[in-house]
Amino acid sequence: MSAMIYPTSNFAEQDKLCIARAKGVYVYDSNNKQYLEGMSGLWCTALGYGNEELIAAITNQLHTLSFSHLFGGKSHGPGVALADKLAAMVPIEDARVFFGTSGSDANDSHYKILRYYFNAIHKPQKRKIITRERAYHGVTVASGALTSLPVNNRHFDLPIDALNILRTDSPHYFSSHLQGESETQFVDRIVANLESLILHENPDTIAAMIIEPITGASGVIVPPDGYYEKVQTILRKYDILIWADEVITGFGRTGNDFGCTTMGIKPDLMTFAKQLSSAYYPISAAVIPGYMHDAMIEQSSANGVFGHGYTYSGHPVGCAAALKNLEIFEREHIFEKAAEAGVYLRKQLETFVDHALVGEIRGKGLLMAIELVPNKLKNTRFADGKVGAFAQRACQEHGLIVRAVAGNSIALCPPLIITHSQIDEIIQKLTKALDDTLIYTQKEKLLFA
């Protein structure tokens, strides 16, 4: 133990895994034990560890310009180049980019920019944001209020009502459908609930709906076919902006450039972080359409400045890292390789379909999850997250790092550079861990008849 307060951890737990070094898709602890990093750290190390090109780009930038801020009109080459590169990539017309250092602060920035924009166009009443049950959008005050996971809300007394946050259904058919309800009926029901919420709250008071194209921390939820098409129709009908949180799904994770491409979403706003730099340097981006930026020019001039920004917004080293990262993605055809590897990963995971604990296998590309259940023939759930936690520890003991999310779903999110043989290694280690977990559930009498 040390003086450190560990983030997103149980303070009562004493056991800590000390990662000492890493290379490629592997990390090594302080005892030199090797682990295949099946979670890309925290969904972020797209190019794996120790990439020499990224290290050189960061080192060169440190030698050239180790820091320069963007306040008051100051600028630098890497920041301008990265903003222009992203604007050319995203499916947003005349895109403008605001930089930060984390997905949480980028979502906070969007929250504030939306207020600023609607005030600028004289619609101050349009301030409510719709989020979804089981959503994760960060842990700062505003982004934490947009998050719907109990562990991230409980005991923090977040001002959810004061921040005008509304919640609608999670689009997870497996866990949320009614008995006998088809996927189409499920989608129609929850989309109707969304429209009812909008009408009850008054569409003229709702600014945007925030969505993860495919969720991460809430269990890697892939909405059924037709869901996003119908949701977008409703949102366009009532002039509500579509805010895509691409912090996890952006830059090849789902086998395409963006999760929006994979899921058929046409966003108005986009949030990026994590794989933007493959986690080699903290950087995030909040992307808005040009018309929003233009509408705020007069207001910022009247105020003297646009009064929002961070010391490290557009840090030149972070921008240099992201530029090199995007260059490697393009040159090495990383998105296409990730799509192909994702097909192979899913095929291998399907070998668990008959395992006694596996209720559902879901995901897209190299973003997958296996949900563990007490009876695969019935729509039942374990009472708590102990089984998922055991499975996560069992994977670690066998040299595989995964993450238990949403209680008992085992998430897999390996680096985009992973090979078929390394995927085979994941499956071998996961097989042992699931067998250990089955023995544990039998011993503890956790399976339902």
Side-chain angles (χ1 to χ4, degrees):
M1 299 297 290
S2 72
M4 185 186 300
I5 296 175
Y6 288 85
T8 311
S9 299
N10 184 337
F11 289 174
E13 290 182 352
Q14 300 296 313
D15 292 337
K16 306 295 179 188
L17 176 63
C18 182
I19 301 298
R21 61 187 180 91
K23 186 66 177 177
V25 302
Y26 296 100
V27 298
Y28 301 81
D29 67 18
S30 53
N31 295 316
N32 207 37
K33 179 179 177 179
Q34 177 181 280
Y35 305 84
L36 198 157
E37 178 43 281
M39 278 302 298
S40 295
L42 279 175
W43 329 82
C44 54
T45 56
L47 292 179
Y49 298 84
N51 183 287
E52 295 297 338
E53 283 191 79
L54 281 169
I55 293 168
I58 290 168
T59 303
N60 291 338
Q61 187 58 51
L62 284 168
H63 283 301
T64 305
L65 179 66
S66 60
F67 173 74
S68 183
H69 65 80
L70 297 177
F71 281 37
K74 288 186 174 65
S75 188
H76 53 71
V80 172
L82 180 60
D84 290 347
K85 177 67 175 177
L86 287 174
M89 291 181 69
V90 297
I92 294 176
E93 187 175 351
D94 190 24
R96 306 301 175 93
V97 183
F98 179 87
F99 292 119
T101 58
S102 74
S104 292
D105 74 42
N107 279 331
D108 253 34
S109 293
H110 268 314
Y111 180 91
K112 292 179 70 177
I113 289 170
L114 282 167
R115 295 256 176 139
Y116 203 93
Y117 166 69
F118 282 112
N119 283 332
I121 65 170
H122 309 294
K123 293 184 178 181
Q125 76 282 3
K126 208 166 176 65
R127 57 181 55 240
K128 296 173 184 175
I129 307 293
I130 301 172
T131 187
R132 300 184 295 195
E133 295 295 342
R134 293 182 64 176
Y136 182 88
H137 298 294
V139 294
T140 51
V141 173
S143 65
L146 291 166
T147 292
S148 302
L149 303 180
V151 69
N152 297 113
N153 294 146
R154 194 180 296 132
H155 308 305
F156 289 108
D157 297 333
L158 296 173
I160 293 171
D161 293 336
L163 290 170
N164 294 283
I165 307 299
L166 308 175
R167 281 180 165 74
T168 193
D169 300 273
S170 163
H172 189 204
Y173 174 78
F174 180 77
S175 65
S176 303
H177 72 277
L178 303 177
Q179 186 172 2
E181 189 175 45
S182 69
E183 286 195 357
T184 299
Q185 292 169 330
F186 169 74
V187 167
D188 288 343
R189 174 170 61 84
I190 65 173
V191 172
N193 289 345
L194 171 62
E195 184 167 22
S196 295
L197 173 67
I198 291 169
L199 292 173
H200 178 266
E201 293 290 336
N202 183 356
D204 292 337
T205 68
I206 302 174
M209 179 173 176
I210 185 170
I211 53 176
E212 301 163 272
I214 297 171
T215 75
S218 65
V220 189
I221 296 169
V222 183
D225 291 343
Y227 171 78
Y228 279 126
E229 179 182 359
K230 292 177 181 179
V231 165
Q232 289 178 95
T233 298
I234 294 297
L235 297 179
R236 298 299 182 209
K237 176 180 178 181
Y238 295 110
D239 193 26
I240 296 169
L241 298 177
I242 298 169
W243 171 2
D245 183 340
E246 291 260 15
V247 170
I248 288 176
T249 55
F251 306 108
R253 178 52 59 190
T254 65
N256 286 296
D257 49 2
F258 307 117
C260 284
T261 303
T262 299
M263 300 307 295
I265 301 167
K266 296 180 179 179
D268 298 293
L269 317 172
M270 299 178 83
T271 307
F272 299 114
K274 295 189 184 293
Q275 296 195 152
L276 176 55
S277 69
S278 284
Y280 277 67
Y281 206 91
I283 188 168
S284 66
V287 183
I288 64 173
Y291 72 81
M292 285 184 64
H293 174 267
D294 293 346
M296 297 187 291
I297 293 174
E298 182 179 345
Q299 186 162 269
S300 69
S301 181
N303 288 340
V305 295
F306 171 65
H308 177 67
Y310 310 111
T311 300
Y312 302 122
S313 289
H315 194 295
V317 181
C319 292
L323 281 166
K324 178 57 69 173
N325 185 57
L326 296 177
E327 177 191 318
I328 295 170
F329 283 164
E330 186 174 356
R331 187 188 70 226
E332 301 296 330
H333 305 288
I334 295 296
F335 300 167
E336 295 86 346
K337 290 178 180 177
E340 191 276 331
V343 171
Y344 185 74
L345 174 61
R346 185 176 192 101
K347 179 181 177 181
Q348 300 309 104
L349 288 174
E350 293 288 352
T351 62
F352 295 118
V353 70
D354 294 324
H355 193 283
L357 288 176
V358 175
E360 185 180 36
I361 298 166
R362 55 182 181 262
K364 296 280 187 180
L366 289 173
L367 178 61
M368 299 293 299
I370 293 176
E371 182 154 347
L372 307 182
V373 296
N375 187 324
K376 63 189 296 109
L377 300 179
K378 298 179 181 179
N379 190 23
T380 55
R381 300 288 178 277
F382 288 108
D384 51 39
K386 291 179 181 178
V387 173
F390 182 94
Q392 177 179 303
R393 290 193 300 271
C395 284
Q396 187 170 303
E397 289 172 5
H398 289 293
L400 171 65
I401 293 179
V402 298
R403 187 177 178 191
V405 293
N408 300 293
S409 294
I410 303 304
L412 283 164
C413 182
L416 303 186
I417 60 170
I418 197 161
T419 65
H420 283 205
S421 64
Q422 290 163 345
I423 290 173
D424 291 341
E425 184 181 341
I426 287 176
I427 299 303
Q428 292 164 7
K429 295 176 186 300
L430 186 56
T431 298
K432 295 176 183 178
L434 287 179
D435 289 345
D436 290 348
T437 305
L438 179 59
I439 293 170
Y440 164 75
T441 57
Q442 292 168 334
K443 180 180 177 181
E444 297 296 319
K445 298 184 168 68
L446 297 175
L447 301 182
F448 296 171

